[in-house]
Amino acid sequence: MNPVTYHRAASVAQALESSAAPGHRLLGGGTNLVDLMRKGIERPTGLIDVTQLSETIALAEDGSLLVGAAARNSAVAAHPLVRSRTPMLARAILAGASAQVRNMATIGGNLMQRTRCLYFQDEAGSRCNKRDPGSGCDAYGGFNRYHAVIGGSPACIAVHPSDMCVALAAFDARVRVAGASGTRAIALVDFHRLPGDRPDLETLLEPGEVIEAVEIPAFAGPSAYRKVRDRASYAFALVSVAAGLVIEEGRVADIRIAFGGIAPKPWRAFRAEAALRGAAVTQAAIDAAMAAEFADAAPLPGNAFKIDLAGRTLSALLAELSGSDR
Ligand code: SF4
């Protein structure tokens, strides 16, 4: 690992001032960044520790749940406000990583974590446009079981690894960001970029900006999160689904759906939601919604199974939420 300087920011203003220096990176729990530094994939010259910034978990004036960027994942998952208002967020966080990692990882860091694509992680032996722009992508024609079936590009088909962000995408969360010219809010569904021809650019966070908090609006109905993976624990999702459902007079009055494990960003299924709104929750309606959502999918031989798996996982989750045993 290269030598780095270390500075602990006591305020957002200090973090902004320190992070403006070239080669400096913000450090949350370090559960992803430090791993990548050990592998030589990340080579910052300075680290700005932002774990002393806000850990607040509280209700905002507009009724949204406000979670400070430095709040630890385990603290968020266990908080009574989270469990009572957005239980699927707690389930999503608990589905990700080990208890030890959750105790260290912060909400801000979770948003910024990088892909676990095997070729991205193999700094010495693999071509990767995300790590080394223009070098190629060994996932095409390689082992792509864990890669994207939708939203990818010829340059990159890596998936976003976060469970938490899938839940946040489903429920219209906003990322509050501070910069030199003030604060701004970015919709979570826009925060992560699709790769296009620049897979190295992963979020809308500009250099010199700091994540302050995440705001999660209330949702009126029940919600849940389900994750399918190759082994029962400590594995990333093949497919995950976060959903919320409100049924009135036998038909869908409101619905939220987001998928993980299938796309380069948490994938809000707007087309599927539109297809299901006003319909009865039947298998035929879900099949039609999935067909609409995945009309632009570009699966590969190694990961085409994910589309069917996503449909079956959604079907099971909606059955759970609607109380049916379909
Ligand atoms: Fe790199 Fe993306 Fe290709 Fe993986 S899928 S090797 S991250 S360019």
Side-chain angles (χ1 to χ4, degrees):
M1 217 158 76
N2 294 338
V4 292
T5 61
Y6 172 88
H7 172 71
R8 180 175 284 174
S11 65
V12 170
Q14 276 188 14
L16 288 173
E17 186 182 344
S18 307
S19 64
H24 282 51
R25 294 289 307 274
L26 300 173
L27 177 71
T31 56
N32 185 214
L33 177 58
V34 173
D35 275 353
L36 294 174
M37 288 170 63
R38 287 198 187 101
K39 292 175 179 173
I41 296 167
E42 295 270 13
R43 294 190 175 92
T45 55
L47 293 173
I48 315 301
D49 184 335
V50 288
T51 58
Q52 301 302 299
L53 304 188
S54 174
E55 299 176 64
T56 298
I57 303 171
L59 290 182
E61 282 183 11
D62 68 355
S64 297
L65 185 64
L66 185 71
V67 180
R72 306 286 176 170
N73 285 0
S74 51
V76 177
H79 199 282
L81 274 176
V82 176
R83 290 189 164 241
S84 61
R85 291 172 56 90
T86 54
M88 56 75 209
L89 177 58
R91 276 174 65 168
I93 291 173
L94 293 173
S98 64
Q100 291 88 343
V101 169
R102 293 196 299 269
N103 285 342
M104 287 299 293
T106 63
I107 295 304
N110 195 323
L111 289 169
M112 296 301 293
Q113 66 176 301
R114 306 197 70 191
T115 185
R116 299 323 198 268
C117 171
L118 296 173
Y119 305 103
F120 173 75
Q121 304 277 334
D122 179 24
E123 202 266 344
S126 299
R127 296 176 307 150
C128 173
N129 287 321
K130 185 184 284 293
R131 174 169 34 76
D132 183 13
S135 63
C137 171
D138 276 343
Y140 278 102
F143 182 74
N144 46 48
R145 176 176 174 79
Y146 295 104
H147 289 73
V149 295
I150 195 166
S153 74
C156 180
I157 49 170
V159 297
H160 193 268
S162 172
D163 290 286
M164 180 194 79
C165 290
V166 179
L168 295 180
F171 292 93
D172 294 330
R174 302 177 293 268
V175 184
R176 205 169 73 202
V177 164
S181 54
T183 62
R184 62 183 179 128
I186 306 172
L188 192 282
V189 292
D190 298 327
F191 183 78
H192 299 98
R193 298 164 49 115
L194 292 179
D197 58 2
R198 289 297 307 272
D200 54 313
L201 301 178
E202 297 176 348
T203 72
L204 294 185
L205 198 70
E206 298 286 347
E209 287 188 319
V210 176
I211 297 172
E212 279 190 318
V214 174
E215 301 163 345
I216 309 157
F219 180 73
S223 65
Y225 182 78
R226 192 169 289 205
K227 178 177 182 179
V228 181
R229 45 193 158 178
D230 274 330
R231 60 175 197 268
S233 61
Y234 310 151
F236 291 93
L238 290 167
V239 165
S240 66
V241 185
L245 183 65
V246 177
I247 299 278
E248 288 176 1
E249 298 180 358
R251 298 197 169 265
V252 174
D254 197 2
I255 187 165
R256 310 290 172 83
I257 304 168
F259 290 104
I262 62 158
K265 61 190 280 183
W267 191 262
R268 178 72 179 269
F270 288 113
R271 289 182 186 175
E273 290 177 6
L276 285 166
R277 210 163 272 127
V281 183
T282 63
Q283 190 58 52
I286 294 170
D287 290 345
M290 288 297 292
E293 190 61 49
F294 286 87
D296 300 330
L300 295 164
N303 65 14
F305 71 93
K306 285 187 176 184
I307 297 176
D308 182 53
L309 182 60
R312 285 187 280 121
T313 309
L314 175 63
S315 182
L317 198 56
L318 294 182
E320 175 187 332
L321 290 172
S322 64
S324 75
D325 55 1
R326 177 170 33 78

